[in-house]
Amino acid sequence: MLFKSLVLLAGTAAVAHGAPSAPGANDIPRDVLTQISSWGSNPTNLQLHLYAPSNLTGKPAIILALHGCFGSGPWHAEMTSQFQTLSSSRNFVVLYPSSINDNNCWDVASPASLTRDGGGDSTGLATIVRWATTTFNADPKKVFITGSSSGCMMSNVMASTYPDLFSAVSCYSGVPAGCLAGSPGSSPISADQTCANGGIRKTGEEWAEVVRGMAPLPEGKGKGKGKGKGKGNQGWKYPKVATWHGDNDFFVNYFHNFEEQLEQWGAIHGVEFTRNETNVPAAGYTKMVYGDGTKLVGYSASGVGHVVPQFEAVDLEWFGI
């Protein structure tokens, strides 16, 4: 185990109604996974742990790392321990929030969460990112998101609802943003299984319209055009995306959901498939390059099921840190 203990940080001063204040950077212990109890608006009662290295310097990067269903932030920290190991040399803070609702799955189905500032999980996560960026005086151009399973689904949602917060996404075993829209829940127990089974098919442009509908353009923002046949990002600058999936995943259907994610983000970025690179980044993996590979890539893992092991070093390379 990389971190030997958990530290609970309740805040250093009281505010109205006895609620703790959000801690400052100097109040947060280093080199240990720390629970933060207050950071601002938290409409769905998320929890938060974070890891900051002791040698953190000015303008660090921020990584938001999202667990899968039935998981938690500390559990995901264990599963992606190389992030903590590498944070010291790469100068970044890792945020490990936890969803405590719907079997600990992220809400990727309700209108509240699929709408910018709608008051759902996505709103709470955006608040966490903004708090951490301010608290650690982080570089706003170096904020990234990653996740597995439900965490990948939410990564796609966050890239859609808050595209201005993130520069890059790398996620594992997910579905397109908006695929579960209207489902009664987001967990394997509560959800309509049509999406997970690969039963929702759209063209790339139809999926792109789903993304654009989650975050209306702010006043004064024009409708820009992307390159290629797609209509581009229509005003927002969306983060670049890397998505990973095992071809033996029948829990979240590989054969359609992986393809649909690539079609969605290909249309957003206006790029099309150009080539495969075999045995990249490891034997049995195929890197699928779209355009020149700077906006969208996919990784297909041969013989791998739903749990694709996280390649933290590859993620950091994609993030540029």
Side-chain angles (χ1 to χ4, degrees):
M1 182 184 300
L2 182 63
F3 42 86
K4 296 181 179 180
S5 62
L6 296 180
V7 175
L8 173 62
L9 191 62
T12 58
V15 294
H17 307 297
S21 65
N26 292 334
D27 301 317
I28 298 172
R30 304 303 172 92
D31 298 327
V32 63
L33 194 69
T34 302
Q35 184 173 359
I36 307 297
S37 64
S38 181
W39 57 84
S41 177
N42 187 13
T44 56
N45 297 316
L46 305 181
Q47 297 178 354
L48 174 63
H49 292 77
L50 67 78
Y51 185 94
S54 58
N55 63 342
L56 201 67
T57 58
K59 296 294 182 180
I62 299 287
I63 297 177
L64 181 66
L66 304 179
H67 63 77
C69 287
F70 311 106
S72 68
W75 171 84
H76 195 58
E78 291 269 12
M79 296 300 102
T80 59
S81 61
Q82 281 299 301
F83 280 142
Q84 292 108 73
T85 300
L86 295 168
S87 66
S88 180
S89 60
R90 305 293 183 90
N91 198 42
F92 63 86
V93 175
V94 196
L95 308 175
Y96 295 104
S98 300
S99 170
I100 62 172
N101 304 308
D102 195 7
N103 299 288
N104 294 40
C105 297
W106 299 104
D107 177 7
V108 294
S110 76
S113 199
L114 296 179
T115 305
R116 184 182 179 92
D117 300 328
D121 280 356
S122 59
T123 299
L125 290 172
T127 303
I128 288 171
V129 168
R130 289 171 176 145
W131 166 79
T133 302
T134 299
T135 297
F136 289 98
N137 191 31
D139 186 341
K141 295 181 180 180
K142 293 183 178 180
V143 180
F144 311 102
I145 186 168
T146 183
S148 179
S149 190
S150 178
C152 181
M153 299 176 194
M154 180 52 89
S155 294
N156 286 320
V157 168
M158 292 302 295
S160 303
T161 50
Y162 296 94
D164 51 323
L165 290 186
F166 304 99
S167 294
V169 176
S170 182
C171 70
Y172 297 72
S173 307
V175 302
C179 188
L180 272 84
S183 171
S186 300
S187 76
I189 297 170
S190 65
D192 179 337
Q193 295 300 311
T194 305
C195 172
N197 291 335
I200 298 180
R201 310 295 301 279
K202 299 179 187 290
T203 66
E205 187 53 37
E206 287 171 338
W207 278 123
E209 285 301 316
V210 172
V211 169
R212 296 180 191 120
M214 294 186 193
L217 290 174
E219 185 177 352
K221 205 166 183 64
K223 292 187 176 182
K225 294 287 185 180
K227 297 179 180 180
K229 293 184 179 180
K231 290 186 177 180
N233 62 36
Q234 296 293 290
W236 288 113
K237 181 180 180 181
Y238 286 90
K240 63 181 183 178
V241 175
T243 185
W244 305 64
H245 218 123
D247 69 5
N248 202 34
D249 183 359
F250 298 100
F251 187 66
V252 174
N253 187 280
Y254 162 87
F255 295 99
H256 296 317
N257 283 315
F258 182 53
E259 175 185 355
E260 301 294 294
Q261 287 180 80
L262 291 168
E263 289 184 357
Q264 183 174 62
W265 293 110
I268 283 290
H269 287 298
V271 294
E272 296 180 340
F273 173 78
T274 54
R275 68 184 186 276
N276 283 333
E277 297 178 3
T278 58
N279 295 320
V280 176
Y285 285 76
T286 299
K287 180 180 180 180
M288 305 168 69
V289 178
Y290 283 71
D292 62 4
T294 62
K295 295 294 185 181
L296 176 65
V297 294
Y299 291 92
S300 177
S302 178
V304 178
H306 183 59
V307 181
V308 179
Q310 189 136 355
F311 284 75
E312 294 98 322
V314 177
D315 292 337
L316 295 180
E317 182 179 357
W318 178 245
F319 296 159
I321 58 175

